[in-house]
Amino acid sequence: MKIAYIGTYPPRECGIGTFTRNLYNSMVMNRAFRQAGNKTTIASIEGLVIALNDHEQTYNYPEEVKLTIRQEHQRDYLSAVKFINLSGADLCILEHEFGIFGGQNGVYILPLLHRLEIPLIVTLHTIIKTPSYNEKAILVEICKMASKIVVMSHKAIEFLTTIYNVDKRKVEYIEHGVPDIQFNKSQSKKEFHLENKKVLLTFGFISRNKGIETVIKALPKVIEKHPEVLYMILGKTHPNVLRYSGEEYRIYLQHLVKSLNLSQHVFFLNEFINQKELFKYLSASDIYVTPYMNEAQVTSGTLSYAIGTGSAVVSTPYWHATELLTDGRGRLFNFDDSNELSTIIIELLDNPDVLKILRKKAFDYGKTIKWDKTGEKYITVAKKILTDKPEVFVKKETILDPLILPPFSLVHIRRLTDDTGIIQHAKFGIPNLKEGYCLDDNARALLMVLMAYRQKKDLLALELAPIYLSYIHYMQKKDGTFRNLLSFNRNFLDEVGSEDSFGRTIWALGYLIGNAPNDAYYQTGRLIFFDASQNFEKIQSIRGIANTMVGISYYLQSNPSDDSMAEMLRNLTYKLIQHYKENSSPYWKWFEQLLAYDNGMLPLALLHSALIFKDDEITGTALDTMNFLTETTLKNGYFSGIGNKKWYKKDSERSMFAQQPVDTLAMILMYHQAFHLTKDKEYLNKLFACFMWFLGENDLRMSLFDFETKGCCDGFESYGVNRNQGAESSLAYLISHLTVLQAFEEFEK
């Protein structure tokens, strides 16, 4: 059995790294046994480590580290998963802690796990009781992809099953391992020149939530009774704290010590000491204290180590401590309660026999959680996974299923809309009035509510429609062109809008003419459409051309005898085809020398035109470019759009970041129109695969649809999901949703 481990790793100074190394050693370096009938044989375990580097740091790793990932470099994660899949590893073990992976809340680990082709075990070092939207979404997705989830406390199991809805059968309880290192107490005290001291000890990374000031404030009462007491604080300031706050907390503690005249009774050792040295300090101590400030810690490696060495432990009642210190293995005191702590310490120092009983119970329990036993438990879990041969979490062939869709809702659109139009942007789910309005979004909004009323007879959609139509009318100039931007106080912000916004408006107006809910809408839409028509053939940008072509096509569906408009559509069609001829090659079947934004709109426009003209050249170009786009963005069974952070230039690398909902919408509409043209139902499955991008079938494995606000997030950025929910993204989602519903009706016919 060969295992790939992902986590931080020594010499990087990190508690997770120490855990990863101990786990690796306990599984790979030690002998592991299995029963084969009545015969005991030695199991062969191989291992390799993928180590996480932080903030451009590099380390001199041991030979088992075969590859490193720079924390904030997304492509390193993708390179790592390729390496793992080709390494011959049978199984992967991930050490998960939000802070060690890149992107917002460590989201960069998701694309790696999504591409993993072997079973996955995840050890969860932190499980948050009140997670943010992103924290919960990320952890839920990781748990979905894992064959087994290892936790180190029963509280963690409770959280996983009740907060994150994880199937309890997936969860394994394996306590934090403890190294089998023992030192003689008297010899350790002598080595550190502590023979005449009663030593209180706290160790680990230093940060404000550790509550060290609680112990310092308890010391005056203790020293009054036991002047031989020395409080040792071992550990460096946490790297993240040091990066953003410097030594502010340590300086505060040092000032507190001085103000209480405790300089002879408190010792700071500002080092990340090695494991062997740490256990020597633990052996030399009389009482180990973990004074954490709140209950929110489901796992504490430092506490496990203290129990493992047989220390007398006094702790605040955080989650892991309340479990580990049961049955007389330690004493608890209330958070931030220096008086209670001083009382307990004095009582223990006054009664050496009580201290001895605490140590004995801790030591006896510590023998059951040595790393060799922990490693064997992990091996047992791994073997069972490989014996059962679970299905690796991979994307299956998409089947159109409308039951997966959240209920259709216009709640967020109503929130963004006032009596002028739809607000362009939002801060999270709240309208951002500072950004005002734009023609693009009001045109999309008109299209969406017309679709909603046509398909669902949604009365709110009918109520909103005249707001968006009147905005379009207000923005039209005498020459038929449109302004785009309007401030919140209704001042024009541009003289003429983009050709893209012009085209999108014609698209919405063309759809309105064919699907008007009453005559007033029809007449108004027709008037604006024909006032604008004098500009149709002046458009130069290919996306402006494509959007306009779609609008004309919708118009011609209800007015097929309008020959002049048909001729205009034909001229625009061949403008687009000419771009294709000038830029395409056998391996690059596209209209430009790059794939940029809204790419699906270009084949979509030709598919509309092909349905009207029944022309082989138009149809062939439409299908060739659609297939090229499919091969580029849908080759892994899920939609991976072209990131707008860095467009995909021919013969160069594409970007994953800044994928946006409008690009997904264009793909959905493209496949829907391809089905109308060819009647091939496979296009409806591709359509649905693209729609699932909104619900988490994407590179980051994160849902962009917000089930609370009913809005859609603005896309993926380098840090993860952009949680703002502006009009463009939410309208793209809703138009896509309505298209899926229509496609399902057509699929069933």
Side-chain angles (χ1 to χ4, degrees), residues 241-458:
V241 174
L242 197 59
R243 191 171 294 118
Y244 298 111
S245 303
E247 291 287 11
E248 177 267 338
Y249 181 54
R250 185 181 297 272
I251 292 169
Y252 157 72
L253 294 176
Q254 290 169 338
H255 280 305
L256 181 62
V257 168
K258 189 174 182 180
S259 68
L260 294 174
N261 297 314
L262 295 172
S263 298
Q264 300 302 312
H265 297 277
V266 179
F267 173 69
F268 291 90
L269 182 60
N270 187 6
E271 293 181 14
F272 186 88
I273 56 178
N274 65 50
Q275 201 165 252
K276 186 175 180 180
E277 197 77 355
L278 167 61
F279 274 65
K280 194 177 290 184
Y281 275 110
L282 280 167
S283 296
S285 68
D286 294 277
I287 297 174
Y288 178 74
V289 188
T290 52
Y292 299 164
M293 296 296 287
N294 59 67
E295 64 181 359
Q297 186 148 342
V298 294
T299 304
S300 171
T302 60
L303 181 65
S304 297
Y305 284 2
I307 290 292
T309 57
S311 296
V313 178
V314 179
S315 175
T316 50
Y318 58 91
W319 295 321
H320 196 198
T322 57
E323 289 188 25
L324 205 50
L325 300 184
T326 55
D327 300 326
R329 291 193 287 268
R331 296 285 296 274
L332 298 175
F333 68 98
N334 287 321
F335 298 108
D336 197 26
D337 193 335
S338 298
N339 289 328
E340 186 181 10
L341 175 58
S342 61
T343 300
I344 292 173
I345 291 173
I346 291 168
E347 177 192 335
L348 292 176
L349 294 178
D350 283 347
N351 296 279
D353 289 342
V354 175
L355 261 180
K356 190 179 292 186
I357 291 170
L358 281 182
R359 291 196 190 104
K360 178 69 166 58
K361 288 187 176 182
F363 182 77
D364 289 344
Y365 188 79
K367 289 188 291 187
T368 70
I369 57 173
K370 298 299 182 185
W371 264 115
D372 60 339
K373 294 181 173 58
T374 298
E376 287 179 20
K377 290 177 182 178
Y378 270 87
I379 290 171
T380 300
V381 171
K383 285 179 181 175
K384 187 170 191 317
I385 290 172
L386 295 177
T387 301
D388 293 346
K389 295 181 179 178
E391 185 176 355
V392 179
F393 190 92
V394 295
K395 182 74 177 69
K396 299 182 178 66
E397 182 182 357
T398 303
I399 301 297
L400 191 62
D401 183 4
L403 297 178
I404 294 176
L405 274 64
F408 182 83
S409 173
L410 293 176
V411 166
H412 187 56
I413 299 304
R414 172 71 272 183
R415 189 182 300 123
L416 291 175
T417 302
D418 61 15
D419 59 355
T420 298
I422 191 165
I423 299 294
Q424 185 175 186
H425 293 297
K427 285 293 183 185
F428 300 95
I430 306 303
N432 183 1
L433 305 183
K434 295 179 181 179
E435 302 295 333
Y437 317 84
C438 72
L439 184 67
D440 287 281
D441 290 338
N442 280 274
R444 288 190 187 98
L446 177 62
L447 175 65
M448 186 277 294
V449 293
L450 290 170
M451 291 175 68
Y453 185 70
R454 179 173 177 265
Q455 291 177 226
K456 305 176 76 67
K457 298 303 177 193
D458 191 305

Side-chain angles (χ1 to χ4, degrees), residues 1-2 27-28 32 34 42-46 383:
M1 177 166 55
K2 188 173 184 179
M27 297 179 72
V28 176
R34 65 181 179 188
I42 296 177
S44 174
I45 310 289
E46 297 179 65
K383 285 179 181 175

Side-chain angles (χ1 to χ4, degrees), residues 451-558:
M451 291 175 68
Y453 185 70
R454 179 173 177 265
Q455 291 177 226
K456 305 176 76 67
K457 298 303 177 193
D458 191 305
L459 295 179
L460 177 56
L462 188 62
E463 178 185 328
L464 294 172
I467 296 175
Y468 309 133
L469 183 56
S470 65
Y471 180 91
I472 292 170
H473 180 250
Y474 182 62
M475 299 301 280
Q476 189 171 37
K477 299 171 66 178
K478 289 182 179 180
D479 63 358
T481 60
F482 300 89
R483 293 181 173 91
N484 186 15
L485 303 174
L486 189 72
S487 70
F488 184 64
N489 59 0
R490 296 187 180 179
N491 290 323
F492 295 123
L493 298 178
D494 55 5
E495 185 56 31
V496 61
S498 66
E499 291 188 344
D500 281 9
S501 64
F502 179 92
R504 291 187 184 106
T505 305
I506 300 307
W507 173 12
L509 292 170
Y511 187 88
L512 169 62
I513 292 169
N515 299 277
N518 58 46
D519 187 61
Y521 287 45
Y522 173 82
Q523 296 296 345
T524 304
R526 185 180 177 87
L527 179 67
I528 301 171
F529 182 89
F530 276 97
D531 282 350
S533 65
Q534 59 187 300
N535 299 289
F536 288 178
E537 293 190 273
K538 298 176 184 177
I539 301 172
Q540 298 300 313
S541 76
I542 60 173
R543 286 165 182 78
I545 290 170
N547 281 285
T548 301
M549 286 170 59
V550 175
I552 295 172
S553 298
Y554 276 123
Y555 165 80
L556 288 173
Q557 287 176 19
S558 56

Side-chain angles (χ1 to χ4, degrees), residues 645-658:
K645 183 177 180 181
K646 181 183 177 184
W647 288 332
Y648 181 22
K649 294 181 180 179
K650 185 178 178 181
D651 300 323
S652 66
E653 284 191 347
R654 54 168 294 187
S655 171
M656 179 188 297
F657 298 125

Side-chain angles (χ1 to χ4, degrees), residues 558-570:
S558 56
N559 297 272
S561 61
D562 190 333
D563 293 338
S564 63
M565 194 60 69
E567 186 61 25
M568 210 175 291
L569 176 62
R570 188 183 298 276

Side-chain angles (χ1 to χ4, degrees), residues 592-628:
E592 300 174 288
Q593 292 296 298
L594 79 168
L595 286 167
Y597 66 97
D598 234 359
N599 297 299
M601 286 305 302
L602 305 177
L604 170 65
L606 292 180
L607 290 165
H608 274 279
S609 187
L611 194 61
I612 290 172
F613 295 124
K614 308 294 191 292
D615 180 288
D616 289 344
E617 183 179 15
I618 299 173
T619 301
T621 306
L623 295 177
D624 285 348
T625 53
M626 177 180 66
N627 292 336
F628 173 73

